[in-house]
Amino acid sequence: MSGNGGTRVVVAMSGGVDSSVAAALLVEQGYEVIGIMLRLWAEEGTDMTGAPNANRCCAPEAVTDARAIAQMLGIPFYDIHAEAVFKKQVVDSWIDGYARAITPNPCFNCNRSIRFGFLKQRALALGASYLATGHYARVDRAGDDTPYRLLKGRDDKKDQSYVLHVLGQEDLAHAMFPCGNYVKSEIRSLAHKFGLPTAERAESQDLCFLTQGDYRGFLSRQAPEISTPGPVLNQRGEQIGTHEGLPYYTVGQRKGLQVMQKITTAEPMYVLRLDRARNAVIAGPASELGSRRVLVQMAHYCSGRIPEGAIQCTAKVRYKAREATGTLEPQANGSLVFQFDEPQRDATPGQGLVAYFGDEVIGGGVITAVS
Amino acid sequence: MQPYFSEVYGNASSMHSFGSAAVAALDEAHHTVACDLGARASEIVFTGCGTESDNLAIRGASLAMWKRGRGQHLIVASAEHHAVAHTFHQLQDLFGFTVTELPVGSDGRVDPDDVRKAIRPDTVLCSVMLANNEVGSFNDIASIGAICRERGVLMHTDAVQAPSTVLLNVNALNVDLLALSAHKFYGPKGVGMLYIREGTAYLSTLTGGGHERGRRPGTVNVAGCVGLAAASKYVAARRDTQAGRLSLLRDKLFAGILADVPDARVSGHAHDRLAGHASFVFKDVDGETLLMALDIEGIAVSTGSACTSGNPEPSEVLVAMGISPNWALGGLRISLGYGTTEDDVDRVIDVLPKCVARIRKTAHVMGSARVVAQP
């Protein structure tokens, strides 16, 4: 045991391996650990038995697992309702993004407003010094006068620093990511060592609040008014087909584009961009995809300071995208421009651009425009 | 209770001698409970819990009265427990009943005059709780019951909160139906009791065998019922002394908290309330966070409602009392029981103000520091 006794830490528990091991590691390190699970919003409805739909990150089995693990570790456990705040801050603004013809990423708002907003506030209110999560990322501080730094997790494949880039100094000062120093296989062995269940729930590409079908069906039920059918145009502005509503399309998408038979060329057509003013999908061949210049209007820097000049570094434009080299150019108005050395196929307004200097997250933000 | 899990394991519905020993125990349990309530043993029906008692009573009496052609109008107070409120909602939504909801005053109590005004020729049932679970206030059930009886309306009361500190007499209360739950007076969890006055129109909404004289079919939880009866005897011997002691502790708690916490108020009536029930509202405090903060300090309390912090919907009961949302979200109920000591109360008076201060401080800091960006 180290000298951590008396330091209180709230762990965001999901019932999964990562957050369970995070909790166990903190208990082992002598912290006074409190487990909290957030109940998040899911689309209204019931299953065949009349039980209400649950958000995937807090399904009844997940709550049961998390409670059992807390019991095993001998720590207090609370599951608290965050449905309404999650709906408002995450789901509604995500829907609003589609209404503005972008492809929003709800995970940023969730980490900013729910985990490091709603939950962090409760952690501090409970007298905790830290909020810990099972994310694969690290927090580092070289010295008392230097800013806290957000670093990638040691496991390249599991690194989750992308979705955490929204954190600022005040968040990082109170953040702990106990899994960040391990690779996934080590986390599994630790789970064995601590006697924790290691079964993984199936990872899904879908969003946690979707309970039936994909996001398109969700939008058509929750916000039918934001989708109006319109034209598919080529880059010369000629109509080559029709679309069912801009929210159903994203940059790089090929599926679902109804291009008129006679215009169909040998080349398959892809969504190049969404033109909200004309309610049009602009389509073209794959060779036209890709942007070098990415604009982020409200840039966020983890250090809390705008860099003084351009930085040669790397960035990625989606969670699963590959990091690519380029130049970060901070702008005087608080925005940033990232010039990639090579065109990026998936750069899409609404998704995040996150810039890295080696392992360190410099910052980034929501992509406003690409060219 | 113990022997009824092993030696006296007979099923009370069986004819053999093992069953008969269980029947004897059940008979005695009915008798014990009836004595305490001033009722007859034949008027006592054991159930699975307080919620079941309320459900059986309300649905059973409403449907039976309707079947007799007496009408489909019901009266219920607006600060009832969900076991009552949701049953009335269902009768209205699915079974064609009309429900009049009675307002409650700022102290959470129903004005008996409002009951008089709400009664119509087709009114069949009125339900008002004896003591409010969230704010502790007593209703004048005797007066409300008398008004109902005079007009031929059946009277039900959810008295679940009361038995440990209040002597209940079904005749003095003028009620036809009364619900209790054993775990609220030191009995086992998962066993309840429903008093049904002889001659009351009642249709069992559980159908099956003839258990509990057909009023609650289903195998009887013998050990649980024996436990409920034992608890009934236990509180009968202690409730007067305890009520006196607890009301003093409660008032000390009120005084201590109000002195040390700014923007705090007592919810419910200041003294015409349950002896062991102290409830507060704190301005701009999330009740659920306060509950967790106290729990970590070893103090178990409740928010007194199904209110949930992430859902900025304050307690329906507090709202019905006219308390504004930024106060109602900070509702807290502290229950004092036979085991509560003055030291316990002093500890709450010491710890709770610090917790409230810390919650208010962090809420303030976060509120001013965080700007939510658009996606």
Side-chain angles (χ1 to χ4, degrees), chain A residues 8 32 34 36 78 80-85 89 93 96 100 102 104 109 112-113 116-118 120-122 124-127 171 298 366, chain B residues 286 288-297 307-312 355 358-359 362-367 369-375:
Chain A
R8 204 171 268 176
E32 187 192 324
I34 299 162
I36 294 189
Y78 307 99
I80 64 180
H81 289 273
E83 288 95 341
V85 65
Q89 304 274 24
S93 66
D96 180 61
R100 291 185 288 117
I102 63 173
N109 268 343
R112 177 169 34 217
S113 310
F116 284 88
F118 181 86
K120 187 181 102 180
Q121 185 198 325
R122 272 151 190 77
L124 299 179
L126 294 180
D171 301 314
M298 292 192 303
V366 175
Chain B
D286 172 48
E288 200 176 55
T289 305
L290 181 54
L291 181 152
M292 292 187 284
L294 291 170
D295 188 55
I296 291 164
E297 300 294 336
C307 145
T308 51
S309 71
N311 305 336
C355 293
R358 194 172 62 204
I359 292 167
T362 50
H364 178 72
V365 169
M366 298 290 292
R370 190 153 294 270
V371 180
V372 176
Q374 288 298 308

Side-chain angles (χ1 to χ4, degrees), chain A residues 37-282:
Chain A
M37 182 165 212
L38 290 178
R39 300 274 190 142
L40 304 178
W41 182 90
E43 193 175 12
E44 292 87 348
T46 52
D47 67 12
M48 296 288 284
T49 67
N53 287 334
N55 184 299
R56 224 186 21 256
C57 47
C58 37
E61 314 83 69
V63 181
T64 309
D65 289 352
R67 184 176 285 116
I69 287 157
Q71 190 84 37
M72 221 185 84
L73 297 174
I75 62 173
F77 175 80
Y78 307 99
D79 64 308
I80 64 180
H81 289 273
E83 288 95 341
V85 65
F86 180 83
K87 171 69 165 52
K88 183 162 173 274
Q89 304 274 24
V90 178
V91 182
D92 288 351
S93 66
W94 175 81
I95 292 173
D96 180 61
Y98 277 109
R100 291 185 288 117
I102 63 173
T103 306
N105 185 331
C107 303
F108 301 147
N109 268 343
C110 185
N111 278 311
R112 177 169 34 217
S113 310
I114 307 303
R115 284 204 186 82
F116 284 88
F118 181 86
L119 181 56
K120 187 181 102 180
Q121 185 198 325
R122 272 151 190 77
L124 299 179
L126 294 180
S129 306
Y130 298 99
L131 170 64
T133 73
H135 282 110
Y136 285 80
R138 289 170 293 160
V139 181
D140 172 75
R141 193 180 199 185
D144 284 351
D145 307 331
T146 61
Y148 290 91
R149 301 189 307 149
L150 174 64
L151 306 178
K152 286 180 197 167
R154 232 191 75 214
D155 187 333
D156 275 344
K157 287 195 207 71
K158 296 297 294 181
D159 169 45
Q160 290 169 315
S161 59
Y162 178 80
V163 292
L164 295 172
H165 82 272
V166 294
L167 303 187
Q169 286 295 299
E170 175 59 21
D171 301 314
L172 294 171
H174 296 291
M176 277 186 170
F177 305 117
C179 296
N181 276 315
Y182 299 93
V183 297
K184 184 76 186 192
S185 57
E186 292 171 322
I187 293 294
R188 276 203 208 91
S189 332
L190 283 168
H192 275 296
K193 181 190 129 186
F194 292 125
L196 299 169
T198 50
E200 294 272 0
R201 267 181 290 278
E203 270 191 48
S204 164
Q205 293 301 308
D206 278 337
L207 302 168
C208 65
F209 50 86
L210 300 184
T211 51
Q212 35 175 321
D214 69 354
Y215 85 94
R216 295 178 176 89
F218 176 92
L219 285 178
S220 68
R221 290 186 298 273
Q222 295 286 321
E225 70 285 357
I226 67 171
S227 302
T228 312
V232 176
L233 307 177
N234 66 17
Q235 284 170 291
R236 292 186 299 277
E238 298 154 355
Q239 182 167 357
I240 56 168
T242 55
H243 69 77
E244 296 161 39
L246 297 185
Y248 302 139
Y249 302 88
T250 188
V251 174
Q253 179 178 335
R254 183 180 165 197
K255 223 178 97 187
L257 268 190
Q258 289 153 12
V259 176
M260 287 175 233
Q261 206 67 55
K262 58 181 180 183
I263 294 170
T264 310
T265 55
E267 274 187 303
M269 300 292 262
Y270 293 85
V271 175
L272 300 180
R273 60 181 188 277
L274 303 176
D275 185 335
R276 189 186 179 195
R278 290 191 283 177
N279 188 38
V281 169
I282 313 299

Side-chain angles (χ1 to χ4, degrees), chain B residues 17 119 142 169 189 192 215 241 301 306 363:
Chain B
S17 53
I119 294 176
N169 182 294
K189 288 170 197 67
R215 293 166 300 181
T241 346
V301 300

